[in-house]
Every structure is written in structure tokens, then in C-alpha cells.
Amino acid sequence: MKTWIALLKGVNVGGNNKLPMAQLRLLLESNGFHEVRTYIQSGNVIFRHQQSDRVNLAQSISEIIAAHFGFKPSVVLLTNEELAAAIEQQPFSDLSIEKDAKVLHFFFFDAAPTNVNQARLAASLHQSERLLVVGSVAYFHTPNGFGKSKLGAKMESVFGAPCTARNWTTVDAILRLVAGESAN
């Protein structure tokens, strides 16, 4: 069995798409998922499954949630190696997790984005912000805060592909949970 990390997009945000993590764990376990764990309420799920087809497995998770909770979130699936690589490849050498974990965001795409709207990107990126794409991860540094960024909410339309974001704190905590360490 393979260990997977599912990053669900847009759950438990602003009172929308409510998805209790305890219920999600039980639901996935009753549908053949093993050792299901969640991290915080924003749709981070670690599990083991015999399925190795990423696309089918992501679709299954989305459909299971739709059948029981009435909405169908998009799901990005990663292996623990891919999540570790995302942290290792973090391109901003002047940043540290100790001081910048809340202002560096990892946008995870299913595949490397190839349809970037450069004009929209230039119009949305504030001069204090930095954005670099490495493979299927866009690293977005927002020193003034993510909530003040114009680009954060436009990422999918700028890149022409669905994605989901997590800050560095969350990505690090998920990786620790996969490794069996405490997330705190």
C-alpha cells in the first residue's frame, strides 16, 4: 500500500463546503482507505491505499465527498516524497520557516502549469511579492500577508489550471505527520 497526501480545495472556508474532518476520516475508512489522518480543518488528509492511479484515486475521494456532503472539491494528491521535494525545492534562500512560514505559500497543481496569462500575472503581482514555479508547485511569497495580495485569489485564472494552496507551516506539519512526528 502506498501513502498519499490529499489536499482538498476550498473546504471549511468562510462557512462554505463544511466538511468535518472526523466524519471524513470515518467515511474514507469505510470506503477502503487505511490509516486515515487529517491535519487541521482545511482538508489535509494522509492515508494509505492500494490504488496507485493518482487521477482515479483523487476522483474517488471527490465523489465520495460529493455523495455524502453535497459538494465536490478538487483534490490534489501527492506522495510523501513529492511533498518533501516541494519543501526541499523552496526557491527563496533568504526565507526561513522560523520567521516566514505564514508568508510563503505553496500552490500545488496536478501538473506543471503551461498556460500562464503573463499580462494578468504582471497586473496582479505586487512589487513586494515574489512568485516562482518549480515543476508543479508555485511558491508565492507575500511579505505583507496573503489576505492583502491580489494574486492569491487569481492564481487559477492566471495559470489556467486548478490548484490548491497551503502555507509553509501547514506543508511542514503534514510532512511531519507523514513521517510519524508530532505536527506541533
Side-chain angles (χ1 to χ4, degrees):
M1 266 194 243
K2 187 174 195 144
T3 298
W4 290 100
I5 297 114
L7 303 176
L8 284 61
K9 180 179 179 196
V11 301
N12 299 327
V13 177
N16 297 313
N17 296 336
K18 292 184 179 180
L19 184 62
M21 294 296 109
Q23 289 179 22
L24 177 61
R25 284 190 301 272
L26 293 173
L27 181 60
L28 291 175
E29 287 170 353
S30 71
N31 279 279
F33 294 73
H34 302 276
E35 301 173 38
V36 179
R37 295 173 285 162
T38 58
Y39 176 70
I40 62 177
Q41 296 298 308
S42 59
N44 306 296
V45 185
I46 302 160
F47 62 90
R48 294 181 55 76
H49 202 282
Q50 62 193 16
Q51 173 72 260
S52 60
D53 183 327
R54 176 186 317 256
V55 173
N56 286 336
L57 190 53
Q59 184 176 347
S60 292
I61 294 168
S62 190
E63 289 172 359
I64 289 167
I65 292 169
H68 288 85
F69 294 99
F71 68 95
K72 193 172 185 177
S74 72
V75 178
V76 173
L77 281 180
L78 302 167
T79 65
N80 54 332
E81 295 86 4
E82 291 166 334
L83 191 65
I87 289 176
E88 289 170 17
Q89 295 171 359
Q90 188 280 105
F92 303 118
S93 61
D94 60 316
L95 301 183
S96 72
I97 193 163
E98 295 79 20
K99 67 177 181 69
D100 301 300
K102 301 274 188 202
V103 296
L104 179 62
H105 308 276
F106 295 60
F107 280 80
F108 294 94
F109 294 87
D110 284 329
T114 59
N115 193 24
V116 181
N117 183 327
Q118 295 295 338
R120 191 157 200 198
L121 175 60
S124 302
L125 188 65
H126 187 272
Q127 70 183 48
S128 69
E129 298 172 339
R130 295 183 286 175
L131 176 73
L132 284 171
V133 178
V134 179
S136 61
V137 181
Y139 299 88
F140 185 38
H141 179 225
T142 59
N144 297 324
F146 189 79
K148 295 180 180 178
S149 174
K150 289 188 210 176
L151 180 58
K154 298 177 183 177
M155 199 66 78
E156 287 187 344
S157 63
V158 166
F159 283 93
C163 62
T164 188
R166 301 295 187 272
N167 68 28
W168 197 355
T169 300
T170 299
V171 174
D172 183 64
I174 294 168
L175 188 59
R176 289 177 185 274
L177 284 173
V178 171
E181 300 175 23
S182 171
N184 296 328

